[in-house]
Amino acid sequence: MEHTHHFYAITPPGLEAIAATELAGLAAHDIVPEKGGVAFRGSQELMARVNLRARSLTRVLMRLDSFKALSFPELYNKCRRLEWARFVSPGSRLSVQAACHASRLLHSGRVEQAVADAIQDRLGNPAGETGQDLQQVLVRIDRDVVTVSLDTSGDRLDRRGYRLQPGHAPLRETIAAALLLWADWDGLMPLMVPMCGAGTLAIEAAWIAMRRAPNLGRHFPFQAWPSLPAKRWQGVLDKAAAMQRAVTVPIHASDLDPAVLQSAMANAAQAGVLDTIAFSHADVRTLEPVAEHGLIICNPPYGLRLGHDGLYAQIGQVLRARFAGWKRIVLVPDEKSERALRLPVRDRLAFRHGGRRIQALDLG
């Protein structure tokens, strides 16, 4: 029977509850949301499935061990006893990164060297310097308690690879997906995304509608782990591929700036969903609903958010007059913008983006 491991999923602050719901849907156990992430337990196969299919996570760490260390020899000896051969294949490149706080061992460079020496001495052979597989080891020491973790994700999971033309202050892919999940959009109702910018919301929506795993085509560090057979990883991939379906619901994205719209279309083409999204050149003030019911998400451009030039008042007027039967989500940076909408708020989701505190408002 396979071991059960402790994992920690890093997510943008404010999205922890959404990430926890995703993890539950992927069959994770003992899920505990914390500030900036979610702790959970499960098998290595679960970890692979989470990396491949979760939409709101930035990174997934596997906790190898936690112990107290008051000296560098003690740190070395306790790290050396860990079963590194299960997770580091011969020739893999190693990167050790340490963070120390309120502990006797405060020199992060010496901590990193001690852990790297322990790993290589336990393996009995030096790690490679030019191998394809890079395994990052993260060491955190807080009040003399050492936590050793493996990065299972490699590159950040919000870097999907399709956004070749990012535009100005675009939403992170993980935040865009989390907003759609928070709005309970499952790809079965029409979606409109005015002021689409880089097209991230529409693209993430298309992937949700087609049940496409957001991280297909990536290479993960765990693919080189001796403890995870290739056939089990292939089984995770095969199941994700079998889940995909054709998109049958209309997804409309529009923008007033022709250059911005072209960038969004280029990104959609890179993501393989250009034919799934109906792009159009349109002003949000003249927008008309494409169906009797659906979801509309408005994310005004960053520069206009700061101007308070009446844009939010105009958006509110359009939503009241033409989208009464729709679920309406608007992103606002402050209370003044919220008041300008002149619509009651049923629910709100607060998160940080681009160094600012943003709120998504559910206006019913």
Side-chain angles (χ1 to χ4, degrees):
M1 184 175 180
E2 186 183 351
H3 290 90
T4 297
H5 301 275
H6 293 266
F7 298 99
Y8 189 79
I10 299 172
T11 193
L15 307 185
E16 297 88 351
I18 296 169
T21 300
E22 269 206 285
L23 289 167
L26 292 168
H29 303 291
D30 301 328
I31 299 168
V32 181
E34 302 173 5
K35 185 176 181 180
V38 183
F40 65 100
R41 295 176 66 240
S43 65
Q44 289 186 37
E45 188 172 334
L46 166 72
M47 172 271 299
R49 185 163 64 245
V50 168
N51 271 290
L52 185 67
R53 290 169 48 186
R55 302 181 188 276
S56 62
L57 308 183
T58 304
R59 191 177 298 280
V60 180
L61 308 180
M62 186 170 82
R63 305 296 200 198
L64 278 188
D65 201 3
S66 183
F67 51 84
K68 192 171 185 178
L70 302 178
S71 69
F72 286 104
E74 184 179 14
L75 173 66
Y76 169 89
N77 288 327
K78 289 185 175 179
C79 283
R80 193 179 187 279
R81 74 186 183 190
L82 301 179
E83 297 180 296
W84 295 105
R86 298 187 64 218
F87 310 107
V88 181
S89 60
S92 292
R93 291 181 294 138
L94 280 176
S95 172
V96 181
Q97 294 189 8
C100 310
H101 175 70
S103 301
R104 295 192 189 184
L105 305 182
L106 283 175
H107 193 294
S108 60
R110 289 189 63 189
V111 168
E112 291 166 0
Q113 189 61 56
V115 175
D117 290 344
I119 297 171
Q120 296 200 27
D121 290 348
R122 174 61 188 262
L123 292 176
N125 63 287
E129 295 181 356
T130 60
Q132 174 187 358
D133 299 304
L134 172 65
Q135 180 59 67
Q136 188 174 55
V137 180
L138 304 177
V139 182
R140 177 176 175 80
I141 306 182
D142 189 4
R143 293 176 174 81
D144 298 322
V145 176
V146 181
T147 302
V148 182
S149 303
L150 292 177
D151 170 30
T152 74
S153 302
D155 201 9
R156 280 186 357 215
L157 298 178
D158 59 290
R159 296 172 177 170
R160 312 280 206 234
Y162 61 73
R163 206 161 63 187
L164 303 180
Q165 302 186 43
H168 182 59
L171 280 176
R172 278 190 182 184
E173 293 88 329
T174 45
I175 293 177
L179 286 170
L180 291 160
L181 297 174
W182 177 69
D184 295 324
W185 195 80
D186 56 4
L188 299 178
M189 70 170 70
L191 173 69
M192 295 185 70
V193 186
M195 300 172 288
C196 67
T200 310
L201 273 164
I203 293 169
E204 291 294 322
W207 279 7
I208 290 174
M210 66 192 300
R211 295 182 181 173
R212 182 196 188 279
N215 294 308
L216 280 173
R218 298 175 61 117
H219 182 82
F220 298 97
F222 61 75
Q223 290 177 241
W225 290 2
S227 58
L228 183 62
K231 64 180 181 180
R232 294 180 62 193
W233 167 235
Q234 188 60 49
V236 174
L237 287 172
D238 291 344
K239 185 172 182 179
M243 293 176 62
Q244 293 195 42
R245 64 183 183 184
V247 179
T248 58
V249 67
I251 300 174
H252 287 253
S254 60
D255 204 281
L256 184 60
D257 187 329
V260 169
L261 193 65
Q262 286 298 316
S263 295
M265 294 174 68
N267 292 336
Q270 180 68 18
V273 294
L274 181 58
D275 294 337
T276 301
I277 303 169
F279 286 97
S280 62
H281 176 251
D283 189 328
V284 66
R285 292 167 292 191
T286 63
L287 208 62
E288 295 288 346
V290 298
E292 186 176 352
H293 303 287
L295 169 66
I296 181 170
I297 300 185
C298 300
N299 179 29
Y302 182 78
L304 292 179
R305 289 184 191 134
L306 300 181
H308 298 303
D309 58 355
L311 177 62
Y312 279 91
Q314 293 168 343
I315 291 173
Q317 183 178 7
V318 169
L319 295 180
R320 289 193 305 273
R322 303 174 200 156
F323 289 86
W326 283 56
K327 187 178 183 73
R328 301 163 294 187
I329 306 291
V330 181
L331 274 61
V332 300
D334 50 40
E335 292 183 5
K336 183 175 182 180
S337 302
E338 178 179 335
R339 289 196 301 270
L341 292 169
R342 293 178 56 203
L343 280 163
V345 178
R346 294 188 179 184
D347 197 5
R348 65 182 70 232
L349 175 69
F351 57 93
R352 297 196 68 83
H353 184 256
R356 293 179 61 85
R357 185 176 183 272
I358 305 296
Q359 289 196 73
L361 307 180
D362 180 353
L363 307 172

